[in-house]
Amino acid sequence: MQQTISATVAILFYRSHYLAGNTAPIDALCAALKERGLTPIALYVSSLREPDVQAEIVALLENLEQPLGAILNTTSFSLAKLQREAGSTETIPLWQSLNVPVLQVILSGGSREQWQESLRGLNPRDLAMNVALPEVDGRIITRAVSFKAVQARHPQLETEVVIYEPDPNRIAWVAELTHNLIRCAQTPAENRKIALILANYPNKDGRLANGVGLDTLASCLRILQALQLEGYDITDIPDSTQALIQQLTSGITNDRELFGDRRINQQIATQKVWDFFQQLSPDIQRAMGERWQEREQWDHLPEFLPVSGIQWGNIFVGIQPSRGYDRDPSLNYHAPDLEPTLHYLAFYLWIQTAFQAHAVIHLGKHGNLEWLPGKSVALSHDCYPEIALAPLPHFYPFIVNDPGEGTQAKRRAHACIIDHLTPPLTRAELYGDLEKLEALIDEYYEAQTLDPSRLRTIGDRLGQLFQTSQLHQDLGIGLPDVNDLNPLLTVADSYLCELKEAQIRDGLHILGQVPPREQLRDLIISIVRSPHYQRLGLTQAIAIDLGLAFDPILDPLDQPFSLSPAIEARLIQQGKSALAHQLKSCRIGGDVVNVLEAIAQTQVERLIPSPP
């Protein structure tokens, strides 16, 4: 039975368009929403940046007969004030108060012809004002629904008039996405169907569910468990990541070598795929045919095409299909002109028509849908990301430190990005021979002052360690002369300090899970160690607080260091004799950094609640 959707959709546009009578795109959006059973309300504003305007909008939209389902915003710029003052917090009262999806709808400042011919999609001005800045607010980027056109000569004004001319196809696409988002929200959890898609590149089982910086299988399992707790119809989910991967690989995958030995869990009629394909434009049919007709042997396709993945109740966990690299290894993963295969379209068509998903989740950077050929932004119906995904609600957990590729998914696949943490970071430290070498170098310098008779013995041991560790090759020098080690030790000491301070990953992030205590501590330090505008880095602040004439971020690690008697006396007076002794034993800046890092660890640990 067809689900009835009832909601109001607010359309925000500029007052200047209303005064100029230039509202054809707004009228067209209203009509398209009405066709889908939604109630549009069009509001013109002078500027959304004004607090009183925001207050009026909130007051109006919070007192509607029907619930507010979404906002279609055609205004430019961002509401977020990118304040520079230290300690400032970003708030966007309008969007937070209304708490519904905000879709950015683009009224292009260029002509339809320019848009059609351009692979970029929008000119730089439109891209900045109508896409890049609105993205700061977290708006869902949709399509360009109108273009500037020159109207016939106006009889009263005696001049040509430029108007916004709506594009019916793009209007319909935005209205359908809006309808689908509201449909998803209003469908009871027990009836809601979600397709969760795992990336797979290269196309071997060993690379199944790869997500940059993310433990994708553990995250997938946590999502399944969370959906079950929220009342979704999901049964018999695996109890471990090992069980999850075993169930996924028991069916067909992208690994062509094992294709014939796996069971088919779901499939789509080839005729249904052909019917869909033949509805595409002749240019698309020709391009895909020239690329894939012979390689995929279109004349000998089976009656049904398999769909990789497994279904648990109303949740489908799928394996994103290959773009075709397995059929032609010379093809590039990010090739901008590599058309998808017929099997690729069959996968997403099954999700939409047979499974009838309410929403799609692509889990973890990075899948390949957002890299399919087409315009960079403001896609047309002939752009392959749109052909594959259609106006289906799309959510994308994505690593927070790669906004560039995340932007690709936002602009080309209307993704709502859900940022996740990077893997826990920690200092590389030293181990093995390098750790022994650092200790011997410290011992050598100490012997120069306290017991020179030991220098020959320590020097021999240093020479042996340099030979076994091959560190002299990394430094680009020959084996050391045990009679004159000082020049080499200065270079080696600095190099070891840099190695020890390097930031490395300590495991992978799991979506929705706070890193364990020690990893959380090191991650926090790695973030706050770096200085930002009007804020010192943590170890910098500690060094200043101690009165040290050393900057752990800017000063060289091999810079000679000696603790001043005044600072030593003050630390002892403060009851910090152990710290004074540690600093007094520091020879170079790298040694000081070790002390400062240890202090930072202690301070951050105090802020982390103990586990229950």
Side-chain angles (χ1 to χ4, degrees):
M1 187 173 67
Q2 187 73 22
Q3 180 184 351
T4 302
I5 302 298
S6 175
T8 297
V9 178
I11 305 173
L12 304 180
F13 66 105
Y14 281 122
R15 178 173 176 265
S16 58
H17 297 331
Y18 175 76
L19 295 177
N22 201 2
T23 60
I26 310 303
D27 296 338
L29 281 171
C30 290
L33 293 170
K34 285 182 178 180
E35 288 176 7
R36 289 158 178 81
L38 300 171
T39 303
I41 177 171
L43 306 174
Y44 61 76
V45 297
S46 55
S47 170
L48 284 179
R49 299 293 295 270
E50 300 300 327
D52 57 337
V53 173
Q54 293 190 25
E56 287 185 42
I57 292 173
V58 170
L60 178 63
L61 297 182
E62 285 185 338
N63 295 282
L64 299 170
E65 292 183 6
Q66 287 183 326
L68 181 67
I71 295 173
L72 303 185
N73 180 61
T74 69
T75 68
S76 306
F77 307 107
S78 165
L79 299 193
K81 296 179 180 178
L82 301 180
Q83 300 168 9
R84 290 282 190 173
E85 294 78 13
S88 68
T89 57
E90 294 297 330
T91 60
I92 309 172
L94 177 60
W95 308 141
Q96 290 178 336
S97 299
L98 297 174
N99 194 29
V100 294
V102 181
L103 283 68
Q104 182 67 15
V105 181
I106 302 162
L107 306 182
S108 174
S111 69
R112 187 192 307 271
E113 292 71 28
Q114 291 171 335
W115 169 74
Q116 288 174 331
E117 295 171 3
S118 169
L119 282 177
R120 187 168 57 190
L122 294 175
N123 61 46
R125 182 175 177 271
D126 272 341
L127 184 61
M129 295 196 309
N130 296 314
V131 178
L133 288 173
E135 282 173 336
V136 176
D137 287 3
R139 305 177 205 171
I140 298 171
I141 305 302
T142 63
R143 301 292 187 259
V145 299
S146 73
F147 304 91
K148 282 189 175 180
V150 178
Q151 201 177 32
R153 190 175 183 85
H154 196 282
Q156 280 82 32
L157 298 178
E158 296 186 358
T159 184
E160 293 179 336
V161 176
V162 176
I163 62 167
Y164 282 114
E165 188 175 77
D167 184 302
N169 181 274
R170 303 294 79 197
I171 291 281
W173 191 95
V174 170
E176 192 64 22
L177 175 61
T178 306
H179 174 272
N180 290 341
L181 280 165
I182 295 172
R183 168 176 168 264
C184 182
Q186 293 189 358
T187 300
E190 63 269 21
N191 298 329
R192 201 176 292 161
K193 293 187 173 184
I194 306 296
L196 201 158
I197 300 172
L198 306 175
N200 182 203
Y201 179 80
N203 303 304
K204 299 291 184 182
D205 285 355
R207 292 288 289 172
L208 202 158
N210 59 313
V212 176
L214 185 69
D215 188 332
T216 312
L217 288 173
S219 299
C220 178
L221 197 56
R222 285 182 65 87
I223 291 173
L224 295 177
Q225 293 165 347
L227 292 174
Q228 191 173 51
L229 289 174
E230 288 295 320
Y232 283 74
D233 178 9
I234 176 171
T235 55
D236 301 325
I237 60 174
D239 57 5
S240 67
T241 55
Q242 184 176 3
L244 173 59
I245 196 68
Q246 285 176 347
Q247 290 194 40
L248 283 170
T249 54
S250 66
I252 59 162
T253 65
N254 290 320
D255 197 327
R256 307 297 294 182
E257 295 177 2
L258 303 171
F259 197 81
D261 300 328
R262 306 281 180 83
R263 72 168 183 262
I264 296 174
N265 293 317
Q266 50 275 314
Q267 57 190 0
I268 184 170
T270 303
Q271 186 59 51
K272 191 167 189 176
V273 181
W274 277 124
D275 291 344
F276 172 76
F277 178 76
Q278 288 164 3
Q279 293 173 13
L280 302 177
S281 73
D283 289 342
I284 296 297
Q285 293 185 45
R286 182 173 57 256
M288 287 184 61
E290 290 175 353
R291 175 78 72 175
W292 297 116
Q293 188 168 4
E294 291 184 11
R295 291 185 181 94
E296 288 194 307
Q297 298 182 344
W298 284 6
D299 294 336
H300 299 88
L301 287 175
E303 185 179 356
F304 293 91
L305 298 179
V307 175
S308 299
I310 192 165
Q311 189 174 342
W312 289 285
N314 282 343
I315 308 300
F316 169 68
V317 177
I319 302 170
Q320 189 172 51
S322 160
R323 283 181 63 186
Y325 333 101
D326 51 341
R327 292 171 176 80
D328 188 344
S330 67
L331 299 174
N332 184 278
Y333 182 72
H334 286 160
D337 59 349
L338 175 57
E339 296 85 358
T341 66
L342 205 64
H343 288 76
Y344 191 102
L345 297 186
F347 176 86
Y348 282 97
L349 185 63
W350 179 88
I351 288 174
Q352 295 164 46
T353 58
F355 181 64
Q356 296 184 337
H358 290 83
V360 165
I361 300 172
H362 285 91
L363 183 58
K365 173 196 169 182
H366 51 72
N368 56 38
L369 176 79
E370 59 267 29
W371 299 100
L372 297 180
K375 298 182 186 299
S376 298
V377 68
L379 274 63
S380 74
H381 67 282
D382 276 351
C383 294
Y384 288 97
E386 180 170 317
I387 292 172
L389 190 58
L392 195 60
H394 180 198
F395 303 91
Y396 207 149
F398 209 92
I399 192 165
V400 70
N401 67 350
D402 191 357
E405 290 201 22
T407 296
Q408 184 87 353
K410 283 174 66 72
R411 297 177 182 179
R412 306 193 74 239
H414 57 277
C416 176
I417 296 293
I418 302 169
D419 288 319
H420 67 74
L421 280 174
T422 63
L425 297 174
T426 189
R427 298 166 74 211
E429 301 290 353
L430 298 176
Y431 58 92
D433 287 344
L434 296 182
E435 187 177 21
K436 296 176 185 177
L437 189 59
E438 183 190 40
L440 272 181
I441 291 174
D442 290 339
E443 192 175 343
Y444 185 87
Y445 281 122
E446 184 178 331
Q448 282 183 326
T449 304
L450 302 178
D451 190 1
S453 63
R454 299 179 58 233
L455 290 177
R456 181 71 187 187
T457 302
I458 298 172
D460 290 340
R461 292 169 62 195
L462 280 169
Q464 292 173 2
L465 267 179
F466 269 109
Q467 191 162 9
T468 56
S469 68
Q470 299 295 301
L471 182 62
H472 62 287
Q473 292 185 2
D474 292 343
L475 298 174
I477 56 179
L479 280 170
D481 180 359
V482 294
N483 297 312
D484 186 20
L485 286 174
N486 281 328
L488 172 63
L489 295 187
T490 300
V491 177
D493 206 8
S494 173
Y495 179 70
L496 292 175
C497 284
E498 290 178 5
L499 283 181
K500 186 164 55 177
E501 291 304 312
Q503 293 292 296
I504 60 170
R505 292 181 177 181
D506 187 12
L508 294 171
H509 178 65
I510 298 176
L511 193 68
Q513 179 173 303
V514 176
R517 184 180 182 87
E518 201 169 293
Q519 290 183 331
L520 178 60
R521 176 202 68 193
D522 290 347
L523 177 60
I524 292 171
I525 292 173
S526 72
I527 293 172
V528 300
R529 181 189 292 115
S530 300
H532 288 272
Y533 183 81
Q534 294 187 349
R535 180 180 69 74
L536 293 168
L538 178 58
T539 52
Q540 283 180 316
I542 295 172
I544 291 173
D545 184 62
L546 295 174
L548 304 181
F550 174 75
D551 187 318
I553 302 296
L554 301 178
D555 291 342
L557 296 178
D558 59 353
Q559 175 178 307
F561 175 83
S562 61
L563 184 66
S564 73
I567 299 298
E568 181 183 6
R570 181 164 65 83
L571 291 174
I572 294 173
Q573 186 179 11
Q574 294 173 349
K576 300 176 180 176
S577 300
L579 177 58
H581 176 73
Q582 286 179 308
L583 289 170
K584 192 170 183 179
S585 65
C586 293
R587 294 181 294 99
I588 58 174
D591 299 331
V592 180
V593 169
N594 285 339
V595 176
L596 298 176
E597 289 283 345
I599 296 172
Q601 287 182 347
T602 302
Q603 291 182 341
V604 171
E605 277 183 341
R606 290 173 182 163
L607 302 174
I608 300 175
S610 299

